[in-house]
Amino acid sequence: MNSYQNLSMSEQKAEYGAVRARFEAFKSRGLKLNIARGVPSKEQLDLSQRVLTDLTAPEDYFADGVDTRSYGLSDGLPCAKAFFAELASAPAENVIVGGNSSLNMMYDAVMRTMLFGIGGCEPLVKQGRLKWICVVPGYDRHFAICEQMGIEMVTVPMLADGPDMDAVEELVRDPQVKGIWCTPKYSNPDGTTYSDAVVRRMAGLKPAARDFRVYWDNAYCIHDVYGEGDRLAPIYPLAVEQGNPDLVLQFMSTSKISFPGAGVACLIAGPNDARDIRRLLAVQTICPDKTNQLRHVRYFRNAAFLKEHMKKHAEIVRPKFDAVLNALDAGLGGQDYVRWSRPKGGYFICLWVMPGTARRVVELAAEGGVTLTDAGATWPLHRDPDDSVIRIAPTRPEVAEIAAAAELLCVAVRLAALEKLMGQ
Ligand SMILES: Cc1ncc(COP(=O)(O)O)c(C=O)c1O
């Protein structure tokens, strides 16, 4: 193992000089790259262009006995419900199909629970102190919802096969704990996929609060990049089997399948929650954009077709993941103060740098022309207690750009580590 900690002061100084020189050389290249957010590349967006162009004649827009261009069906088009139901192994009658954003549906789900309650319970706003379980590292926008609504966030560590379920089971004994955010497949940012055992335990939770729900954000449900990818057990059948049909609220969208700005999202609830949500939704909207729902179903057809389509995405994304991983292997391999994830899919690679240096690494990378996700973003309230997690989102730029960005990142990681050790 090669470790900066084992170097003498003078060796550290010499190494610092060499790494600083490499950093300055990068700076002079005038890079201007952004690997901060999980956004598909133009090439990926182009894969689905026909979604927007295949349906042209007025009669193309008739489906399920309705003219999708008109009002009606506030919870979505039946064929779109069936489409998502197949993906989730859940009944179509539990599916509510909405607009383009699953995050929007998550926000609404929490907001509805705040205002109207869920499962016949008091609205959360009337219940005083509220807590939410946040698996860390996690998705910043989940945490932002809790932050905006004044919900206290309690962290649980992500282990190799999913959240620490001993900790989750302990926490849900507290009736003030009302939810948990989960990204069960290729979790954002570390790429972990929950094992069958973790999914089963999650589906079998016995929370003290009747209005506790598992918020199952399956944003990367079929986003395999390497081979067959990871397998995720469908949670709905496991929840039903363990007497918890209404425990889980699932979310999915086609944001990273077709278009983040013009896709289709859905919420899949248990039978009682779905009924209650439908009732509230009917007041909120007369209908979502059913024409877009239909365009998507006509183009993507079913899970089998979708799987083939996602292979085309994988062809584009894989060289980008490879570029990052190769650069990390070459630039940081053997350095024992740093490690990184090797996910089989999703949108992110996660890097754990020397504790106390993540902010500095992000700052140095920015100085060198590479924008990274803010350090701390993967923790509630932007507070990474170890200041060590960095999220890399390599999908949008060209392969050569990503390779250059990752190479600079490695130099920044080394420089920040040396600065820390030398007390600078
Ligand atoms: C875990 C996770 N959930 C949700 C979203 C956003 O989904 P949508 O575009 O459907 O709102 C993202 C986007 O990066 C994500 O990473």
Side-chain angles (χ1 to χ4, degrees):
M1 268 294 168
N2 186 357
S3 171
Y4 279 164
Q5 285 99 318
N6 297 338
L7 297 182
S8 68
M9 268 300 251
S10 62
E11 285 168 334
Q12 279 180 3
K13 256 184 140 167
E15 177 69 6
Y16 177 81
V19 177
R20 182 89 221 176
R22 284 185 63 202
F23 180 67
E24 294 302 328
F26 259 108
K27 264 171 70 175
S28 64
R29 284 167 62 176
L31 295 178
K32 210 173 171 352
L33 302 171
N34 189 324
I35 48 171
R37 296 232 64 106
V39 186
S41 61
K42 178 178 180 299
E43 217 183 337
Q44 286 176 273
L45 299 176
D46 290 349
L47 290 176
S48 302
Q49 187 60 20
R50 278 185 50 197
V51 171
L52 301 177
T53 56
D54 272 4
L55 305 194
T56 48
E59 50 277 15
D60 290 342
Y61 283 94
F62 284 75
D64 294 323
V66 301
D67 183 343
T68 59
R69 299 169 305 174
S70 192
Y71 273 141
L73 300 175
S74 58
D75 62 343
L77 201 57
C79 61
K81 292 183 189 176
F83 176 80
F84 284 113
E86 187 194 1
L87 285 180
S89 305
E93 60 265 27
N94 293 21
V95 183
I96 292 166
V97 190
N100 73 303
S101 166
S102 63
L103 185 71
N104 192 164
M105 295 186 94
M106 290 175 233
Y107 185 95
D108 276 354
V110 179
M111 191 60 118
R112 265 192 305 270
T113 308
M114 290 296 271
L115 273 184
F116 304 108
I118 197 163
C121 298
E122 279 275 279
L124 292 188
V125 278
K126 291 193 179 160
Q127 294 192 35
R129 190 169 173 201
L130 305 168
K131 298 180 199 163
W132 214 272
I133 304 173
C134 297
V135 186
V136 285
Y139 179 39
D140 53 352
R141 295 188 194 272
H142 287 160
F143 305 154
I145 294 176
C146 286
E147 187 179 352
Q148 192 176 72
M149 299 198 193
I151 301 170
E152 193 178 318
M153 291 177 265
V154 190
T155 59
V156 158
M158 181 73 93
L159 306 179
D161 64 343
D164 177 346
M165 289 309 294
D166 290 344
V168 172
E169 284 164 356
E170 184 60 34
L171 283 167
V172 300
R173 293 167 59 179
D174 176 352
Q176 290 175 332
V177 172
K178 302 298 185 181
I180 178 170
W181 291 120
C182 298
T183 305
K185 189 161 175 181
Y186 305 133
S187 188
N188 177 351
D190 52 289
T192 304
T193 297
Y194 297 10
S195 67
D196 289 2
V198 164
V199 178
R200 174 171 281 282
R201 280 174 82 177
M202 194 68 80
L205 284 176
K206 296 290 172 224
R210 274 202 303 120
D211 48 4
F212 172 91
R213 293 291 179 274
V214 173
Y215 287 68
W216 197 252
D217 174 3
N218 214 347
Y220 302 105
C221 56
I222 44 162
H223 301 57
D224 306 315
V225 172
Y226 293 98
E228 286 296 300
D230 292 335
R231 184 196 116 82
L232 175 73
I235 194 166
Y236 184 75
L238 290 171
V240 172
E241 190 188 307
Q242 294 176 91
N244 272 337
D246 283 293
L247 179 72
V248 185
L249 298 174
Q250 293 188 65
F251 303 86
M252 287 190 283
S253 79
T254 67
S255 285
K256 277 47 179 276
I257 296 170
S258 60
F259 316 109
V264 180
C266 77
L267 154 60
I268 305 173
N272 298 302
D273 284 356
R275 180 202 59 221
D276 295 346
I277 293 168
R278 260 191 204 106
R279 197 170 35 79
L280 293 166
L281 205 61
V283 176
Q284 187 179 355
T285 184
I286 308 177
C287 72
D289 181 349
K290 299 190 298 298
T291 64
N292 200 35
Q293 295 180 3
L294 182 61
R295 279 193 290 262
H296 276 76
V297 175
R298 285 274 155 83
Y299 185 72
F300 290 116
R301 299 177 217 176
N302 52 37
F305 185 93
L306 206 50
K307 213 169 163 204
E308 289 306 308
H309 176 80
M310 293 312 289
K311 288 184 183 163
K312 297 182 195 159
H313 279 275
E315 292 298 319
I316 299 170
V317 172
R318 199 180 311 116
K320 300 182 178 190
F321 270 51
D322 284 345
V324 174
L325 293 169
N326 290 340
L328 293 173
D329 287 341
L332 294 171
Q335 299 295 310
D336 62 3
Y337 54 86
V338 56
R339 68 189 168 93
W340 52 92
S341 62
R342 289 183 180 277
K344 292 210 188 102
Y347 260 61
F348 306 100
I349 290 167
C350 193
L351 180 65
W352 287 265
V353 297
M354 181 181 280
T357 66
R359 272 176 210 285
R360 181 63 181 145
V361 170
V362 172
E363 196 177 276
L364 285 166
E367 215 183 296
V370 174
T371 306
L372 291 164
T373 313
D374 283 346
T378 57
W379 283 72
L381 308 176
H382 283 246
R383 289 186 200 137
D384 172 359
D386 291 335
D387 186 25
S388 78
V389 180
I390 289 180
R391 186 181 77 165
I392 304 168
T395 51
R396 188 162 52 177
E398 300 289 324
V399 174
E401 292 176 337
I402 292 158
E407 215 184 309
L408 169 72
L409 176 60
C410 294
V411 176
V413 168
R414 283 175 177 265
L415 198 54
L418 285 162
E419 283 177 0
K420 177 141 182 87
L421 290 173
M422 295 165 70
Q424 288 190 1

